[in-house]
């Protein structure tokens, strides 16, 4: 009987995992710590599967303010075939390091072509702009980086959603941005419930 219960629990657990939305947060040396950690934390609170992927060749990645984190995997070891959303934190030189990474470029192009979800915050929308993906798209970014967003419709909002694309303008928008990602992945009810549990004002 005990064994039977264990099997039943295992089956339920595996079904739950199979149904979870899957995301990858790309981490490069110089990433903005507030943005990256807030995104990871809030998505996991909302029961989203988050894999942190280092593009720096080492699992240990150092943020813009010298906070070090250990990524779950190296970028090249991630299987993106069943990933629902790829997310780019900002920060400098983190965003520039993402922009220069061929693997990140290729995966962003793949996701864009497939209409899969992409999130980018702060300076990271520059990656999308330099790939020519923002023409006539509504976006926002950190002040001073608008020149990278070629032919985009630049908005003066903290968080901007345009179909499969969500962008945000900086660290102060990290909570709102992460909750918008939850909404895109799991629906408004889950986003609102997560916000209420965090005591987000107005939720």
């Amino acid at each position: 009987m005990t064994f039977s219960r264990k099997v039943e629990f295992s089956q339920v657990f595996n079904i739950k995992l199979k149904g979870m939305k899957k995301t990858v947060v790309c981490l490069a040396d110089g990433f903005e710590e507030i943005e990256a950690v807030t995104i990871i934390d809030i998505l996991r609170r909302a029961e989203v599967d988050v894999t942190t992927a280092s593009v720096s060749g080492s699992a240990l990645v150092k943020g813009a303010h010298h906070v070090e984190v250990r990524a779950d995997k190296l970028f090249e070891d991630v299987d993106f075939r069943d990933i629902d959303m790829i997310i780019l934190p900002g920060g400098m030189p983190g965003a520039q390091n993402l922009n220069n990474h061929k693997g990140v470029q290729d995966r962003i192009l793949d996701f864009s072509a497939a209409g899969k979800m992409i999130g980018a915050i702060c300076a990271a929308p520059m990656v999308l702009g330099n790939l020519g993906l923002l023409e006539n798209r509504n976006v926002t970014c950190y002040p001073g980086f608008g020149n990278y967003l070629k032919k985009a419709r630049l908005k003066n909002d903290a968080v901007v959603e345009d179909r499969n694309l969500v962008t945000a303008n900086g660290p102060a928008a990290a909570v709102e941005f992460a909750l918008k990602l939850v909404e895109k992945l799991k629906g408004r009810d889950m986003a609102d419930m997560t916000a209420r549990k965090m005591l987000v004002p107005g939720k």
Side-chain angles (χ1 to χ4, degrees):
M1 182 66 70
T2 301
F3 177 76
S4 175
R5 287 198 186 109
K6 285 182 178 178
V7 170
E8 183 179 352
F9 174 80
S10 175
Q11 289 172 340
V12 171
F13 184 71
N14 287 335
I15 291 170
K16 184 177 180 181
L17 283 179
K18 188 175 181 180
M20 287 180 75
K21 294 294 186 179
K22 296 183 179 181
T23 65
V24 171
V25 177
C26 298
L27 298 177
D29 284 331
F31 70 92
E32 170 51 59
E33 294 93 336
I34 289 176
E35 294 165 0
V37 175
T38 300
I39 293 163
I40 295 162
D41 179 279
I42 290 176
L43 289 177
R44 287 181 175 169
R45 286 173 190 261
E47 299 183 354
V48 173
D49 186 330
V50 181
T51 297
T52 55
S54 168
V55 307
S56 301
S58 168
L60 199 62
V61 190
K62 183 180 288 187
H65 302 92
H66 311 294
V67 177
E68 292 187 332
V69 301
R70 184 174 296 277
D72 298 315
K73 293 184 177 181
L74 297 182
F75 183 89
E76 52 268 30
D77 294 333
V78 177
D79 184 352
F80 283 88
R81 288 175 295 182
D82 62 348
I83 300 300
D84 299 290
M85 177 184 284
I86 187 169
I87 304 161
L88 308 180
M92 289 298 283
Q96 187 62 60
N97 287 333
L98 292 174
N99 186 62
N100 293 338
H101 192 277
K102 183 63 163 53
V104 171
Q105 294 172 10
D106 289 344
R107 295 294 79 73
I108 291 294
L109 288 169
D110 289 344
F111 270 57
S112 179
K116 297 176 76 173
M117 291 179 281
I118 301 169
I121 183 170
C122 193
M126 69 185 297
V127 179
L128 313 180
N130 286 332
L131 290 171
L133 300 178
L134 298 181
E135 184 173 357
N136 296 321
R137 303 296 296 273
N138 297 312
V139 296
T140 189
C141 68
Y142 195 80
F145 285 84
N147 57 310
Y148 293 100
L149 311 188
K150 301 174 178 64
K151 300 183 179 180
R153 298 191 186 108
L154 188 60
K155 303 296 182 180
N156 191 31
D157 297 313
V159 177
V160 174
E161 175 188 2
D162 188 328
R163 303 195 303 276
N164 67 315
L165 178 63
V166 182
T167 54
N169 65 4
V175 170
E176 183 181 351
F177 175 69
L179 289 170
K180 177 57 71 174
L181 301 185
V182 172
E183 182 181 330
K184 295 286 284 184
L185 290 160
K186 301 287 294 280
R188 174 67 66 84
D189 288 346
M190 176 60 83
D192 287 347
M193 182 176 69
T194 304
R196 286 195 297 272
K197 287 181 177 181
M198 294 168 53
L199 305 183
V200 174
K203 297 295 184 180

